[in-house]
Amino acid sequence: DQTPHDITISSDGAYAYVPLYDGNMVQKIDTRTDAIVSTANLSNYTLGSSYGQWSIITLSPHDTAIMVSGFMQTGAIATINTATMQLDPKQSIVPTISGAGSIMPWPHGLANNATFDTFFSALQFGNAVIKFGFSPRFWYKYISVNGQPIVLSNSSSSINPNPHQVQMSPDYSRYFVTCQQTGMVSVIDAYTDSFITQIPVGFFPQEMTVSTSKNFLFV
């Protein structure tokens, strides 16, 4: 049992991309035949573990690439060419104990800007989203999801929001972050990185999707 975790559909509806939480693969599935047509191998991104806890996929605007998060303490991000299902090492982070991956503890939700060169990931324990990119070299900054000073943690806490998922608005002007512990959805300005507001939605909100035709966010 390799535990498929997320499903992301190409804009033409022809393919589904599925990461395996208890495995080291992302599968590409033909939605017309239900056949697995290709698989990306992510075993080099798991610090020697037999599984990478691959969790959430975000798709580039023109369907040319996907990025997937590995939910591990040291952090892992892999970008995959959708045509070849081969890894793009220039837009991937290999987790290390003391290297670049360690600045991204427990990444889960993912979102991207319109040009697929700036990315956002919810760090599950604490109150932060990490904003990062790879050009001209890897860079990052932390953004508070509740307007308070940044808190990073390796464990859940009843006093922190514990962000889970990131959902970009259709116009890329803002993004939404589910906060598991506080029952809120935070709204962040994607251009200025400023906290806008929080929306109460009930108990333990996690995944989201958006209707572009009806302007609804489903939590």
Side-chain angles (χ1 to χ4, degrees), residues 124 156 161-162 164 178-184 201-207 219:
Q124 282 238 43
S156 183
N162 298 333
H164 185 84
T178 47
C179 299
Q180 298 176 135
Q181 187 61 43
T182 54
M184 297 283 188
V201 294
F203 179 73
F204 214 74
Q206 292 191 300
E207 314 301 352
V219 183

Side-chain angles (χ1 to χ4, degrees), residues 26-193:
V26 172
Q27 295 176 334
K28 181 179 182 179
I29 300 170
D30 190 315
T31 58
R32 297 151 294 187
T33 65
D34 298 331
I36 299 171
V37 295
S38 188
T39 300
N41 187 334
L42 306 179
S43 58
N44 289 336
Y45 286 72
T46 56
L47 284 179
S49 173
S50 59
Y51 58 93
Q53 297 178 313
W54 300 103
S55 301
I56 298 296
I57 286 177
T58 188
L59 180 67
S60 67
H62 300 294
D63 289 3
T64 56
I66 55 175
M67 178 179 281
V68 58
S69 61
F71 178 58
M72 295 179 287
Q73 180 175 344
T74 48
I77 296 292
T79 298
I80 300 164
N81 182 299
T82 55
T84 64
M85 290 302 284
Q86 297 296 307
L87 283 160
D88 178 0
K90 294 181 180 179
Q91 283 202 158
S92 300
I93 300 171
V94 180
T96 61
I97 293 174
S98 59
S102 64
I103 54 86
M104 194 178 291
W106 307 106
H108 191 67
L110 280 174
N112 55 269
N113 67 349
T115 49
F116 206 68
D117 56 16
T118 300
F119 306 92
F120 308 84
S121 181
L123 304 180
Q124 282 238 43
F125 306 126
N127 74 335
V129 163
I130 186 170
K131 179 180 182 179
F132 61 98
F134 297 90
S135 181
R137 56 186 178 273
F138 179 72
W139 59 269
Y140 69 94
K141 67 179 292 189
Y142 298 118
I143 300 166
S144 170
V145 301
N146 61 357
Q148 300 300 312
I150 295 295
V151 175
L152 302 180
S153 177
N154 282 325
S155 61
S156 183
S157 167
S158 61
I159 63 173
N160 292 321
N162 298 333
H164 185 84
Q165 174 64 308
V166 183
Q167 177 67 52
M168 186 64 67
S169 65
D171 65 358
Y172 296 95
S173 66
R174 59 184 60 188
Y175 57 90
F176 306 90
V177 184
T178 47
C179 299
Q180 298 176 135
Q181 187 61 43
T182 54
M184 297 283 188
V185 171
S186 291
V187 186
I188 311 293
D189 189 302
Y191 302 132
T192 65
D193 302 326

Side-chain angles (χ1 to χ4, degrees), residues 197-213:
T197 190
Q198 288 185 319
I199 305 167
V201 294
F203 179 73
F204 214 74
Q206 292 191 300
E207 314 301 352
M208 293 177 285
T209 192
V210 67
S211 167
T212 56
S213 62

